[in-house]
Amino acid sequence: MKRLHSFILKSFLGPLAFTFFICMFVLLMQFLWRYIDEFVGKGLDWTIIAEFLFYVSATLVPMALPLAILLASIMTFGNMGENYELTALKAAGISLQRIMKPLIILIIFISLGAFYFSNVIMPIASLKTSTLLYDIKKQNPELILKEGIFTNDLPKFSVKVGKIDKNTGMLHDLLIYDHREGLGNTDVTVADSGTMVTSADKLTMNLTLYSGNIYQEVKQKPRDRDKNHPSRRIKFDEFKQNISLPGNDLKRTDENRFKNSYRMLNLGQLVNQEDSLNSIIEEEKNNFSKSLLVRHYFQKEPKNLLNDSIKSVLITEKIKDADSLFNKLNPSKKLTTISYALDKGRKARENIARKDNELSGQIKWLRKFTNEWHRKFTLPFACFIFFFIGAPLGAIIRKGGLGMPVIVSILFFIIYYIISMTAERFSKELVLEPVWGMWMSSLIVLPLGIILTYKATTDSTVFNIENYIDFFKKINPLKFFKKKNE
């Protein structure tokens, strides 16, 4: 049995490592395609890019690992079924459960490792990724000049070049707007030709212009646009100027700015944050209900509204019922009272609606922390479920390689992912409770794993695709038409 277990483990670990890296590569390329515009023209060092890809890869593990387990298990047992190894083992009296036993133990350890990764490593990777992506987005792009197009990559300058000589680097028909004063297009430079050379430390742009004019309008205040201002023109044969650049060194942001986000917290921190947010929401509810009672329900009227006639009624007849008091009023006073009450009711309704929207936003934000708490457990559970779908399914379809297993795995994973994303969105929108929103996909897929395991154990032919292929092969429409013609 030890040799058998060793053989099964070797047969599984190879495809698992291979499919895991394939899934990571595909997901990473998808991420880069989404954020490729943030990297182009930033002059980032390769170490920065490598660091960012490393952190992003860590955040993609929750999607790649379950898919890799599903694909590897289908490939492993599909190969064994295609090579009649499962048939030989079952003929020797070894059940499918005993064949799967070493892999079940391995999947348990992988699930425990996935839980540790999701709770400890994932928050750190998410924090590093968010911080570094924020810094990259803030990074000023390198100056890239294009013919006939204004370029705003140079800080506080707008540059347009008519033609660029690629051999000499000479720029022709230059038009430069200087916005350093912040007064609009009041400083314009037109030159026949020129050069722009960045210093070695990339902190200064050495600008040299030939045969041109500088047009300057003297404005004292930005709001004085409609007034006439003095202007001057400066003609030059050669003009040199040094422009300060912000530099291409990436400025790192303090990670404490993002550390309280729900994706950057572990289980204990999520619970503490949920308790704090719940306390804030409950306190706001209590304060609002008290203010609502004071302002719109129990209210002390001004003395000028409580006239002598009502005072006398209250004193002599000792009326405590509001309806009886209302009936004692004359028609004009009744109309005034009703109008005043309606006005107060409308204001109360508006305040309640506004506060309800505020509290709904806070509850939705709280729901993200609750969903993230459940997500720590759904990842290891998904690894466990996908194994019990892939292993029996591979034994049933009896096809190895990257053909049928890939198609089946992607199909199951897409179904699982769609259900998961839909239910999680319902949870975020307060349609479902977090426990149902985050566990819906697992609860739907779990019975399928149980059924497939049972069918594979009992050698059921219900899910044997070869039987259906043979059935459709027997249905030959040509034979049917030949018999009919005869």
Side-chain angles (χ1 to χ4, degrees), residues 79-108:
N79 285 326
M80 294 177 67
E82 189 176 13
N83 297 327
Y84 299 101
E85 293 171 344
L86 284 178
T87 305
L89 291 172
K90 290 180 180 179
I94 302 174
S95 64
L96 183 63
Q97 285 82 357
R98 291 184 65 186
I99 298 173
M100 294 170 58
K101 183 178 178 181
L103 296 183
I104 293 174
I105 297 174
L106 176 64
I107 292 299
I108 291 174

Side-chain angles (χ1 to χ4, degrees), residues 290-348:
K290 291 178 181 178
S291 65
L292 195 65
L293 291 174
V294 171
R295 294 180 181 179
H296 301 285
Y297 193 77
F298 298 108
Q299 185 175 8
K300 292 182 179 181
E301 300 295 345
K303 292 182 178 181
N304 57 353
L305 294 179
L306 195 63
N307 55 26
D308 295 335
S309 61
I310 298 178
K311 282 183 180 179
S312 63
V313 171
L314 291 173
I315 294 171
T316 57
E317 299 186 16
K318 297 181 180 179
I319 295 175
K320 297 182 179 180
D321 187 8
D323 294 333
S324 300
L325 179 60
F326 178 76
N327 292 328
K328 293 290 183 180
L329 299 174
N330 56 50
S332 62
K333 289 292 184 182
K334 286 182 179 181
L335 292 175
T336 303
T337 304
I338 292 172
S339 177
Y340 187 73
L342 287 174
D343 183 62
K344 286 293 182 182
R346 292 190 187 98
K347 289 182 179 179

Side-chain angles (χ1 to χ4, degrees), residues 387-406:
F387 172 75
F388 280 97
I389 291 176
L393 194 60
I396 291 172
I397 63 177
R398 298 176 183 178
K399 294 291 182 181
L402 292 174
M404 182 66 70
V406 172

Side-chain angles (χ1 to χ4, degrees), residues 339-368:
S339 177
Y340 187 73
L342 287 174
D343 183 62
K344 286 293 182 182
R346 292 190 187 98
K347 289 182 179 179
R349 184 178 61 185
E350 292 174 359
N351 290 335
I352 292 172
R354 184 177 64 255
K355 195 63 179 179
D356 182 63
N357 291 332
E358 293 178 4
L359 291 176
S360 296
Q362 293 179 1
I363 293 173
K364 287 181 180 179
W365 178 248
L366 172 63
R367 186 62 62 86
K368 292 182 179 181

Side-chain angles (χ1 to χ4, degrees), residues 49-119:
I49 298 177
E51 180 184 0
F52 181 75
L53 293 181
F54 176 75
Y55 294 141
V56 171
S57 300
T59 61
L60 297 176
V61 170
M63 289 187 64
L65 185 59
L67 180 59
I69 290 176
L70 175 62
L71 185 56
S73 57
I74 293 178
M75 290 177 61
T76 301
F77 284 86
N79 285 326
M80 294 177 67
E82 189 176 13
N83 297 327
Y84 299 101
E85 293 171 344
L86 284 178
T87 305
L89 291 172
K90 290 180 180 179
I94 302 174
S95 64
L96 183 63
Q97 285 82 357
R98 291 184 65 186
I99 298 173
M100 294 170 58
K101 183 178 178 181
L103 296 183
I104 293 174
I105 297 174
L106 176 64
I107 292 299
I108 291 174
F109 281 104
I110 291 177
S111 300
L112 294 175
F115 172 75
Y116 176 82
F117 181 91
S118 180
N119 187 42

